Amino acid sequence: MRRAYHVEAIRHAEADLMAQLPQGALMQRAAAGLATAAVRILREGGGVYGARVALLVGVGDNGGDALYAGARLARRGAKVAAVLADETRAHAGGLAALREAGGRVDYAEKLEDADLIIDGMLGIGGKGGLRGRAAELAEAAQASGAPVLAVDLPSGVDADSGQVSGVCVNADVTVTFGAYKPGLLIDPAAARAGVVEFVDIGLTALPEPAAVEALQAADVAQLLPRPRRDADKYARGVVGVACGSVEYPGAGMLAVGGALRAGVGAVRYSGPRAVGEEVLRRWPELLIEKELPGDAGRVQAWVCGSGFPVGDDFAAERTKQVVASGLPAVLDAGALGYLGEGELGERIVLTPHAGEAARLLGVERADVEARRLDFVRRLADERGATVLLKGSTTLVAEPGGGTVRANPTGTAALATAGSGDVLAGLIGGLLAAGLRPLDAASVGAYLHGLAGRIAHGKGPIAAGDLLAALPRAWHNLQ
């Protein structure tokens, strides 16, 4: 599990550790980890000896980390130059160490000549985009074409929220120390971080729960439903699917497919008879029920809303009956327009994209995209439900301000029509199989993303390709 903590918690943990160590020891640990990553990058490009390394140095401890790492590289034969964002306030001890090791300070270093750029301008306390000299250096680093290694997180991104406001550094690799920061797991900042490498510097006084966490393969494997040897199809779970419409029958087909790939024993379809018959031709294992969810046979969870038209009384009634059932349910797409007011309960999983979340919250879509962590928490609290906010970084939040889960397997290949219908069905099936809403949503997102990556390996994909790839995604985790 990757766990990320807010800046305040990390600063407290750092202060606690520094009180137990000799002065400067913590910075030396960070510098050692940073130098190790730099050596690996330089070796991939031809070697350390004689390589040209530019350090972008700010006024805080990030600048000190970069300078001490630069000194280590200089002692190994690299040509290291520190480019100061502020000539008067750079870390004095780091500057002395760099000069002693044979490095130099050059306010006007040409970044286009560098084999590696190390970004140490702004640390976890930075707010807002870069300005002035720092912004100029970030833009020059981007234009240079050299690989960029960020210290702790890229300068100019918000560590706590993942927000990017203005100019920031776009890193190829980020070495983060002691604990992950939410901005390294959440877009748009995560997209600027490149490959994130973790260096353990000994922080132990970190609070629980974390602000954000990201499941890893082993975590998901433990959560996957596994039937007992004596289980029958009903013991494995039965999920009801109230999706699709005469206008959009394909949504019902894809949601049913996702549910069938979730490890349940059976899937019941509730909807227009003509749509049900069409879905049955694609999925002969499907059980066809009455048109309204309230008249269907026994299920353990519902999937509702994919393919619902706007302003449709029948769609509104289907949504109403699913919510009133008291069962765990996924409310997706069209169902989000028929929710009414008030809290829904944690058993409900809402799966909006940014535009749908913005409408539910009465804000602009751009605001949701910029501050995804803030708004997924707000929507979960306002509706009293578990919320999966879809997007480049899918986030899952429960009401009450607990840990938010960020999905690490997302891929742009999933940005295709019907992909969300498959996800809704998959999550609904996991609910019916017995997973609690937070786990069902985050495991479903992980499997969905992994299936997207598997399918995309053979070229551009459609939503149906996800269904074909899901069994392999399961197999990869077993």
Side-chain angles (χ1 to χ4, degrees), residues 317-359:
E317 183 61 26
R318 293 167 82 184
T319 304
K320 179 181 177 181
Q321 291 191 12
V322 166
V323 173
S325 72
L327 294 171
V330 180
L331 301 182
D332 180 51
L336 301 175
Y338 299 113
L339 294 183
E341 302 295 329
E343 294 189 358
L344 296 164
E346 289 184 35
R347 65 185 173 80
I348 299 292
V349 179
L350 305 180
T351 57
H353 55 59
E356 291 163 338
R359 286 194 292 274

Side-chain angles (χ1 to χ4, degrees), residues 38-430:
V39 166
R40 185 172 59 255
I41 295 170
L42 290 171
R43 282 177 174 168
E44 291 172 356
V48 179
Y49 189 84
R52 294 162 297 185
V53 179
L55 313 175
L56 307 185
V57 179
V59 300
D61 287 346
N62 264 39
D65 295 337
L67 289 165
Y68 281 116
R72 290 171 180 263
L73 296 174
R75 286 195 291 270
R76 299 185 64 155
K79 298 177 180 178
V80 183
V83 186
L84 307 183
D86 187 322
E87 287 186 281
T88 63
R89 294 193 294 156
H91 192 280
L95 283 174
L98 178 66
R99 288 190 172 108
E100 184 179 350
R104 59 193 176 88
V105 177
D106 188 345
Y107 187 72
E109 176 75 8
K110 294 182 179 179
L111 298 186
E112 61 267 25
D113 295 333
D115 296 303
L116 175 66
I117 297 171
I118 297 179
D119 162 37
M121 290 191 291
L122 197 61
I124 58 177
K127 297 291 182 182
L130 298 175
R131 296 173 292 277
R133 172 68 172 161
E136 293 173 1
L137 290 174
E139 291 170 343
Q142 182 71 22
S144 72
V148 177
L149 173 61
V151 180
D152 216 13
L153 79 167
S155 295
V157 307
D158 190 287
D160 277 346
S161 70
Q163 188 173 2
V164 175
S165 303
V167 177
C168 73
V169 168
N170 289 286
D172 297 286
V173 178
T174 296
V175 175
T176 197
F177 310 120
Y180 288 93
K181 290 76 187 172
L184 295 175
L185 303 180
I186 301 170
D187 280 337
R192 273 56 171 198
V195 176
V196 178
E197 299 183 6
F198 177 77
V199 172
D200 186 357
I201 56 173
L203 298 187
T204 57
L206 290 165
E208 292 298 337
V212 179
E213 63 187 16
L215 298 180
Q216 302 300 287
D219 305 309
V220 177
Q222 289 185 338
L223 290 168
L224 290 177
R226 290 183 172 83
R228 302 188 313 270
R229 289 187 55 147
D230 61 347
D232 59 27
K233 63 184 178 184
Y234 297 107
R236 294 185 66 184
V238 180
V239 61
V241 176
C243 295
S245 60
V246 173
E247 294 90 336
Y248 307 108
M253 200 171 299
L254 291 167
V256 166
L260 287 166
R261 294 290 191 265
V264 293
V267 178
R268 300 183 186 273
Y269 180 77
S270 173
R273 177 60 56 178
V275 177
E277 291 174 352
E278 188 172 344
V279 177
L280 182 63
R281 283 192 288 272
R282 173 63 179 85
W283 304 109
E285 54 271 79
L286 184 66
L287 305 174
I288 299 296
E289 298 293 327
K290 302 291 186 180
E291 293 195 347
L292 285 171
D295 299 325
R298 183 179 177 183
V299 300
Q300 279 77 49
W302 280 101
V303 184
C304 177
S306 306
F308 279 9
V310 176
D312 182 85
D313 290 342
F314 183 55
E317 183 61 26
R318 293 167 82 184
T319 304
K320 179 181 177 181
Q321 291 191 12
V322 166
V323 173
S325 72
L327 294 171
V330 180
L331 301 182
D332 180 51
L336 301 175
Y338 299 113
L339 294 183
E341 302 295 329
E343 294 189 358
L344 296 164
E346 289 184 35
R347 65 185 173 80
I348 299 292
V349 179
L350 305 180
T351 57
H353 55 59
E356 291 163 338
R359 286 194 292 274
L360 289 170
L361 290 166
V363 299
E364 296 297 321
R365 177 174 186 146
D367 294 334
V368 175
E369 293 282 19
R371 295 164 49 208
R372 300 178 59 79
L373 182 59
D374 292 341
F375 283 108
V376 73
R377 284 173 168 156
R378 176 174 159 186
L379 184 56
D381 284 341
E382 285 193 9
R383 302 317 301 254
T386 301
V387 175
L388 181 148
L389 178 59
K390 293 183 281 194
S392 55
T393 304
T394 292
L395 300 178
V396 184
E398 293 178 304
T403 301
V404 173
R405 285 186 178 166
N407 180 51
T409 63
T411 165
L414 294 171
T416 185
S419 172
D421 306 335
V422 174
L423 176 61
L426 181 58
I427 295 171
L430 292 168

